[in-house]
Structures are given as C-alpha cells and as structure tokens.
Amino acid sequence: MGQFGIGQSVTRIEDQRLLTGSGKYTDDVQLENEAHAFVLRSSVAHGNLKGIDTSAAKDAPGVLLVLTGGDVEADGIGPMPNMFPVESLDGTTRHETHRPLLAQGKVRHVGEPVALIVAETLAQARDAAELVEVDIEELPAATDTFGATQDGAAQLWDHMPNNTCFDWGKGDRDATEAAFAKADHVTTLELINNRVVVNSREPRAAIGDYDADSGKATLYTSSQGTVGLRNTLADAILKMDQDKLRVITGDVGGGFGMKIFPHPEQPMVVWAAKKLERPVRWTSERSEAFLSDIQGRDHVTKAEVACDKDGRFLGLRVTTYANLGAYLSHFATYIPTEAGTAMLNGLYAFPTAWANVKGVMTNTVPTDAYRGAGRPEAIYCIERLVDKCARELGLSPDEIRRRNFIQPDQLPFTTSLGDTYDSGNFTAIMEEGMKKADWDGFAKRRAESEKRGMLRGIGMATYVEKCGGGNPEVADVRIDPDSETITFYIGTMSNGQGHDTSYKQIMSDRLGIDTDNMVMVQGDSDVVPPGLTGGSRSVTVGGVAVSKASEEIAEKGRKVAAHMMETAEADIEFADGTFRVAGTDRSMSLFEVAKAALDPANLPEGMDPGLDTKATQQPDAPTFPNGCHICEIEIDPTTGGLEVQRYTVVDDFGDIINPLLIEGQVHGGVVQGLGQALHEHTVYDESSGQLVTGSFMDYRMPRADDVPNFDFSMRNERCTTNPLGIKGTGEAGAIGAPAAVINAIVEALGHGAVVDVDMPATPDVIWALANQRMAAE
C-alpha cells in the first residue's frame, strides 16, 4: 500500500496550502492592464423599462464602456438558458422566460442587471453608474409563493396565467386517491420550506480576457466544473466556438450548487473584454450577492398521509408550490420536480403516492440548486408529516417509523415514486441513533429542565438521498517516469470537499504509490475532461473513474513487466508500487515499467506504448445514503431563546474512502440545516418586492456557538451500484437536520399535543408559541 489508502482518516492534503494563505481564488488572479466592471441593478422589483440614458456615464472620467440591453440585442448575445424541460399534467411543456444579460423592456426583480459600466478603476465605474438615468414605470409586484398563483396577483409574464410555469405530477394518482378513500386516518400538514441565500464564503467573481490574435477568450471564475460552464456560455449565450473560450477555476471558497451554473456577470466580462481587447474584472460585494446570487428552497406544501387503524401507511399525497423567482435559472425546473420529489417516499414502504408540483414565478431572485437540491425539501416534508401522524395516533416517533420502514429483506426495493433502494437497514440505524442519543433517558433530562422553568424537546428525522448518478466522469491519468510523478486530470471541481485527498487515497490504494508523487489537475476547460461537482457525485463517480484508471495502469504494467522479465503474466505480482516475479527477487517499480513501456520494443505484441490511460465511469444507478438525526433542544419560554443541547447523527454511507473528511462534510451540512431551521430568513416586502433581509444585519447566519459538539457515527451497508461500494456524503447533513430540530421544537412546545411550527423557528416565533402553550395550561 502507498502512503495513504482507502479507509484511512487522512487529514486534507490541501489544507496546509489553504490555511497558510497560499490558495489562489478568482479574485487573486491579476492580469496586466485590467479594467473594472460595475453592474447597475434595478432598484425596482417589477416595472416597464421605458428608457436608459447612458450619455453622461460614457463621458465620465475613466469610463471605457457602457452596455445595456440594446447592446445585448445588437451584438447577438443569447439569453440565460434553462436546461430542463418539464411536461405539465395537460401534456404541454413548461413556459419559457426570456432572460437577457441586461434588462430589455421590463425588470422583474430587485437586483436584475440593467447596465454594465467598465472603467479604469472600480471607483470610476461605480461613480459613472450614478450618472445612468433609468426610467422605470413601476408595476405591482408578486413575491408570495402561494399568493402569486391566486386571481388578482400581479402577473410577471403575459403568456403565463396565474404566474404558473408548469403543473407537474409524479406517481399513481388514481391508486393514491383510492388509498385515501379507504383510510382509517388521514394526517394533513401544511408547511413552508423557507427561502435561503447561499452566502458562500468566497463571493462570485469573473475576469474576462481576450486575445485578438487568436480570437480566443478566457474566463477566470469560481465554478463547480469548467467544461460544462464553458459549453453553456459558448453555445447558448456568447455564440462562439467552444474551442475559442477557455474557462479557468482556481480554488473555490464554497459553491453549494450555486456555482454550478452560469450567472449573467460571467458572459458579461467576456463580452466586454472582447469589445475592449483588454481584461475586465468583476467581483461581487456581499450586499450585491444577496440581490444576484441564485437562491434556494422556497416551497409551500400541503402533505397528507393515509393510514390504517394500526398506523401503517396506505398512501401519500403532496402538493407543492415551488417558487422559481423571476426567471428560470439553469436547473430551476429540475430541482423541485425530478431532483427531489421521489425522496418524498423517505424510508417508508408506501404502497402508493402522488406528488403534484406547481412552478411559480415571482418578483424575486431566481432559485436553483442549493445543497441537497430538492432532497432536503422532500425529507423535511415527509419527516414532519410522519411525526405529526404519530402524535395524532398516540404513537411514539420511533414506533410509527418502525411499523412503516422498508425492511432489509425487501431490498432492493422499488418505491411508489419509482426509485430502487439497493441497500440499508433503516430500523437498525434508527435504533443505533436512539441508543447513542440516550433516547430512553430523555424524560429525566426533561424533568430537570422543567425544574428550571425550561422546556425541553427531542426530535428525530430519518432520511434518504438519491445522489451519485447522472453523467459520466473521466479520469485521464498520465505517468512521467523521469520525475516519478502521476498526474491525473479530472472534470470535477473541489470547493471544500477534499478531492485532492480522496482521489489520491484511491490511487495510492490501487497503485501503492505515495500521494507525494501525484498531482491532480482540475479547473481548466482546455485540459480537463467534462465533469461536475454537485449532487454528492464527485467521489461516487469521479472516484470510481480514478480507481478504474489506476487498475488499468496496473494491468497494463503487469503485461509490460512480464514481457521485460521474460515470464508469464500470471507470475507477476503487483504490490506497493512494484511488479515482482512470484517467488523470486526479480522486480521492477511502476515507474521503471512506465519508462520501459514508452519504447515499442519493450511491449508485447499489439500493445500501444505507455501506461497512460483514460477511464470513464458511467453510473448505472444512483446511490442512496441514509441515516437518522436526533436533536435535543432546550427553550427558555420567557425569551424564546433556544439551545441545541445534543445532536446525534448515524449515517449509512456504504464503504468509506476517508472517515475524517466524511465527518467534516456531515458537520458542515448539519450546521447549514440548523441555520435554515432556526435562523436564515429571506424576506421580501409583499407590496414593493424589496429584499428586506439584504445583509448580515438582517439575515442571521449560524455561528459556532449555536451548535454543540456532534455525536457522529456510521452504520454502513455496502452500496451495490458502483465498484467502490460507496454512497454520496456531501449533502446528507443538510438533508436530515431541518426536520430533526423542528420536530424537537414541536415536541417541546406541544408535549404530546399537536403543534405546527414553520422554519425558521426564530426566538420571536418560539416565544409566541410557548406563551400560547402556557396560557392554555
């Protein structure tokens, strides 16, 4: 084995570089003769754009270029695309929303780009923006997710009645209606999955450059995969050959889905650089990010479960209004439909289910993928619903789950919404979580809290996530025998997950070579294969490609070594980076064999020179990580203050590459989930459409002192859908956490009664509910 192998808790290789300030993010890139761009944005949520006068701005000191929607049209720049068609229940395809880089004819949300000003300095560009006169005839705005679909609401698009982009369904509607008709009990829950702002630590940034001699443009930008971004920008927006655009991404300070797809500023700076024939830089400020970064979640849902007299589920029925914002972002229509809806099934053996999703347009920032991308919304819905059903039936949270879980002997199990779960022991993982959380000792802890005038609650949420499927990943591996270096090129893009460590662990395990002898190349569309980080797929797909490539290198090397040492291939053993003739002291290192393989004279007949290889992993099926979250909280009813006392997670991630990195991913996901559940609240003024929570003064992010130390462990069942036996891990924490903490709050406030609590459960909300409870007593 090499220095580090599969299964070891190796600290991240990249951390030393990043923690000592040696990282290089997009804003760290410095090009000669850069100009600076400032985006003038709409201050109005909805209005007719009557005119723009840029004459004073063009004459301002230092100004090089001012562009508007008219220039977009004149130069043939394409609109921002939505990549996922959705078919409505009536057979029609979802409506389109034309989204130009700069507003044309109308503005539809505060923050929509209206003009691009480029100057010698950022200060000059900002000053010139103040001179642009924008004439907007303000119109009524629609910001409420459900309200926007009602008669009398302001209409964003003339071709879209009731602001409904699509009306989509999944499951068996007739069978579900029949199940509800014969049910002994029906539980109904209406809930809100609140909108969140991504707030990645590294703001978005983009630098465009253009070489007039070659006609090639380069975009430096933070992303989650350069090749797909390059293709979309070139084909759909900039209308140029793909080989005439290069996209380079350095270190990325958090993506969370938001940096997968293009934002308007990226093609803007390339377009401006081409017109000026000099580099153009744009970096978002934090307040600008609140108005322009794609946002997440924002669902209004009615969920119903039908049960028999013993509390066994007969059917599930869910209707969701999904807020898509003012325009359709890249994957916006996929997230609330195919990305997440099937996870409404949870870990339960529902005989039938029907889900209806209505896509809603509002005068708000567009929404798209955010950590979990549809799966957190689905699990939050089903786990809240199951808990409420248990209370109505007088069952404990664990008992209702125990009666309805899919059992190990039923696997593989095809759910009522069409997914096939391959592995897991869901009852065992719940019981392990309860044991670790000391569930049985909760009553004693509650009594101690009550003596101090506090309310105490415990909440459970189980989850399953569909991830690690989709498009293929390619590992392109090249060996330099002289420097004894293995370089691998891969299209995924690390944005905090630790790819440089995980991939090298896999390769080290397969080839027995120290990670110090390996170099990972990512983030350059000119040299890396297509790939994408998102959907917890980098190691589950990219890692398998690295493993396959490593195994192919070993197999090629075995053939060459046998030929060089004049023995049968079956007599060659390979371990610790060395090929040996079994039972002898004759051997060659991997790098010696690689050097020999460059000479055709040293090769077996029919073999191509070199050990370099490309391996592709095309997932046959997704993976289904699952687990149990248990949250215990204490509430001060006099203030509404809440403290998370204990937090327990037991996950099933299949076979493990690096336990330490997995634990870090889960910790971060749980904090994001708690942030949404308790703190983060994106509020738009209903009459004006203005973003009320547009800074950290009003939008509260989770802090370190908001959470306890986590009790994290795993009870893994090997995945059967990929050769490494692994399941995705990157989003799991954010999927299980919101329902666990809200269920704990409901338990604390209801104490056996049925209480509804929506996210975010801020102190004022909790205080009001606590006082209602005390008044009732």
Side-chain angles (χ1 to χ4, degrees):
M1 182 185 291
Q3 182 183 6
F4 303 123
I6 290 176
Q8 296 185 42
S9 288
V10 180
T11 56
R12 298 198 315 179
I13 294 168
E14 52 267 61
D15 280 356
Q16 179 67 22
R17 177 176 62 82
L18 296 173
L19 292 173
T20 55
S22 299
K24 190 169 185 179
Y25 300 86
T26 299
D27 197 56
D28 294 322
V29 174
Q30 300 292 325
L31 303 180
E32 186 177 350
N33 197 32
E34 283 182 341
H36 296 262
F38 179 82
V39 179
L40 178 64
R41 302 181 183 277
S42 175
S43 60
V44 172
H46 193 201
N48 293 315
L49 184 57
K50 308 292 285 185
I52 303 177
D53 184 351
T54 63
S55 56
K58 289 179 178 178
D59 291 337
V63 171
L64 303 169
L65 184 67
V66 179
L67 298 171
T68 66
D71 299 298
V72 171
E73 184 174 5
D75 286 5
I77 303 297
M80 302 293 293
N82 174 269
M83 306 301 287
F84 189 74
V86 172
E87 185 176 298
S88 290
L89 295 173
D90 63 4
T92 60
T93 302
R94 61 144 176 88
H95 293 292
E96 294 285 354
T97 61
H98 181 78
R99 185 188 183 192
L101 296 192
L102 297 166
Q104 297 172 348
K106 250 193 176 188
V107 293
R108 292 183 172 87
H109 71 90
V110 173
E112 181 172 352
V114 172
L116 180 74
I117 299 94
V118 184
E120 295 288 354
T121 70
L122 179 58
Q124 289 173 330
R126 189 189 302 274
D127 289 345
E130 298 285 345
L131 302 176
V132 177
E133 295 184 10
V134 183
D135 182 9
I136 298 177
E137 178 189 20
E138 193 164 358
L139 299 172
T143 62
D144 181 73
T145 303
F146 177 75
T149 66
Q150 303 305 295
D151 291 341
Q155 296 297 296
L156 275 74
W157 299 90
D158 294 338
H159 64 287
M160 213 177 295
N162 297 109
N163 295 312
T164 302
C165 178
F166 59 80
D167 185 1
W168 175 90
K170 188 179 184 71
D172 190 329
R173 192 179 207 168
D174 292 340
T176 302
E177 294 299 327
F180 274 81
K182 69 178 183 181
D184 294 307
H185 178 82
V186 173
T187 293
T188 301
L189 176 65
E190 296 182 1
L191 52 82
I192 294 172
N193 203 293
N194 49 314
R195 180 183 284 239
V196 292
V197 177
V198 177
N199 282 317
S200 57
R201 178 163 293 188
E202 177 207 19
R204 290 188 300 112
I207 305 170
D209 195 13
Y210 180 72
D211 179 44
D213 292 335
S214 64
K216 185 164 187 171
T218 301
L219 171 66
Y220 301 86
T221 193
S222 190
S223 78
Q224 293 177 231
T226 56
V227 175
L229 181 60
R230 185 270 316 271
N231 295 350
T232 299
L233 293 174
D235 295 346
I237 304 173
L238 294 169
K239 310 294 186 182
M240 60 193 302
D241 293 339
Q242 291 180 4
D243 62 2
K244 292 297 184 182
L245 178 63
R246 181 183 187 185
V247 176
I248 296 175
T249 296
D251 291 312
V252 179
F256 309 112
M258 181 264 290
K259 292 178 181 175
I260 292 175
F261 27 80
H263 284 71
E265 298 82 5
Q266 292 162 321
M268 278 187 208
V269 296
V270 175
W271 176 36
K274 185 175 181 180
K275 293 179 81 71
L276 293 172
E277 296 190 6
R278 62 183 288 188
V280 175
R281 164 188 295 274
W282 172 83
T283 299
S284 174
E285 295 182 351
R286 185 63 65 184
S287 58
E288 191 174 16
F290 272 89
L291 298 174
S292 63
D293 290 358
I294 293 302
Q295 297 174 357
R297 315 289 193 240
D298 204 341
H299 290 183
V300 174
T301 296
K302 178 181 179 181
E304 302 167 282
V305 60
C307 307
D308 67 12
K309 60 183 177 59
D310 296 319
R312 288 185 168 83
F313 298 156
L314 302 176
L316 175 69
R317 186 166 59 195
V318 179
T319 299
T320 292
Y321 291 79
N323 195 332
L324 307 174
Y327 299 93
L328 296 181
S329 180
H330 205 67
F331 295 141
T333 50
Y334 174 69
I335 303 309
T337 55
E338 291 292 357
T341 295
M343 294 298 96
L344 285 167
N345 198 97
L347 297 174
Y348 307 106
F350 282 106
T352 183
W354 170 252
N356 173 222
V357 180
K358 303 176 192 296
V360 182
M361 310 307 299
T362 63
N363 295 114
T364 62
V365 173
T367 60
D368 210 312
Y370 172 69
R371 197 172 191 170
R375 284 93 79 195
E377 296 92 316
I379 293 300
Y380 179 72
C381 174
I382 188 61
E383 290 301 292
R384 288 290 315 281
L385 181 64
V386 167
D387 252 38
K388 185 176 183 183
C389 184
R391 289 191 174 88
E392 290 181 349
L393 294 174
L395 297 174
S396 65
D398 57 303
E399 180 57 29
I400 195 168
R401 289 173 170 83
R402 194 175 284 108
R403 293 184 187 185
N404 289 286
F405 275 154
I406 299 162
Q407 298 303 308
D409 61 4
Q410 294 177 280
L411 297 169
F413 182 91
T414 299
T415 73
S416 58
L417 289 171
D419 283 325
T420 300
Y421 300 170
D422 66 293
S423 57
N425 190 329
F426 311 135
T427 301
I429 210 166
M430 178 186 71
E431 291 176 346
E432 180 78 8
M434 294 173 68
K435 180 180 177 181
K436 286 183 171 293
D438 188 21
W439 187 276
D440 291 341
F442 171 71
K444 180 180 178 181
R445 296 190 295 277
R446 164 174 268 168
E448 292 171 349
S449 293
E450 289 177 343
K451 289 178 182 178
R452 296 182 284 107
M454 299 293 190
L455 305 177
R456 198 175 190 97
I458 191 168
M460 171 191 296
T462 59
Y463 80 92
V464 63
E465 177 195 3
K466 178 182 180 179
C467 61
N471 293 330
E473 292 291 341
V474 177
D476 182 355
V477 184
R478 306 173 195 179
I479 302 176
D480 182 351
D482 294 329
S483 65
E484 296 192 346
T485 300
I486 301 176
T487 302
F488 61 96
Y489 298 77
I490 194 152
T492 59
M493 188 70 227
S494 180
N495 46 94
Q497 298 88 346
H499 293 179
D500 201 25
T501 305
S502 299
Y503 289 150
K504 288 178 179 177
Q505 277 187 263
I506 295 169
M507 185 172 287
S508 180
D509 188 87
R510 296 294 187 254
L511 296 178
I513 301 298
D514 287 348
T515 57
D516 290 343
N517 296 84
M518 301 173 188
V519 176
M520 179 182 74
V521 177
Q522 59 174 357
D524 185 341
S525 66
D526 270 9
V527 299
V528 302
L532 171 70
T533 289
S536 300
R537 65 188 310 279
S538 291
V539 174
T540 52
V541 187
V544 173
V546 170
S547 178
K548 283 183 174 180
S550 302
E551 291 168 352
E552 289 179 18
I553 287 170
E555 188 60 28
K556 287 181 181 179
R558 184 176 282 107
K559 296 179 186 297
V560 176
H563 187 73
M564 292 292 295
M565 291 186 280
E566 299 179 333
T567 190
E569 187 179 335
D571 292 334
I572 296 294
E573 299 174 341
F574 180 62
D576 298 326
T578 301
F579 297 94
R580 291 183 175 84
V581 179
T584 75
D585 61 356
R586 297 166 60 202
S587 66
M588 296 178 70
S589 73
L590 174 63
F591 293 111
E592 288 173 335
V593 171
K595 188 174 184 67
L598 296 175
D599 185 349
N602 295 328
L603 302 177
E605 185 176 351
M607 185 175 177
D608 294 329
L611 299 186
D612 296 352
T613 189
K614 287 184 180 180
T616 300
Q617 168 63 7
Q618 172 62 67
D620 295 326
T623 73
F624 292 95
N626 59 88
C628 178
H629 289 227
I630 296 177
C631 178
E632 189 168 328
I633 55 98
E634 187 176 71
I635 292 171
D636 183 348
T638 65
T639 65
L642 178 149
E643 183 176 340
V644 180
Q645 296 281 323
R646 303 161 68 112
Y647 200 98
T648 305
V649 185
V650 182
D651 283 315
D652 172 7
F653 290 139
D655 288 350
I656 301 302
I657 303 299
N658 187 318
L660 184 63
L661 297 194
I662 286 176
E663 185 168 4
Q665 287 290 299
V666 172
H667 286 186
V670 169
V671 172
Q672 279 186 276
L674 293 177
Q676 180 184 8
L678 299 176
H679 309 297
E680 300 183 51
H681 199 192
T682 309
V683 179
Y684 286 89
D685 182 84
E686 290 188 13
S687 60
S688 68
Q690 294 293 322
L691 179 61
V692 177
T693 52
S695 75
F696 290 146
M697 292 291 290
D698 303 296
Y699 187 98
R700 189 188 187 285
M701 297 289 286
R703 300 190 294 251
D705 60 358
D706 290 325
V707 296
N709 290 325
F710 300 118
D711 182 347
F712 167 75
S713 61
M714 291 178 278
R715 189 191 186 283
N716 296 318
E717 301 278 342
R718 180 177 172 83
C719 180
T720 65
T721 63
N722 64 74
L724 288 177
I726 59 180
K727 302 174 184 180
T729 64
E731 296 159 301
I735 293 172
V741 66
I742 297 297
N743 282 342
I745 295 170
V746 170
E747 208 278 336
L749 296 173
H751 210 335
V754 178
V755 176
D756 285 338
V757 179
D758 272 320
M759 298 189 292
T762 53
D764 59 318
V765 171
I766 293 173
W767 179 85
L769 290 170
N771 279 271
Q772 287 177 19
R773 170 190 158 169
M774 290 188 292
E777 292 176 347

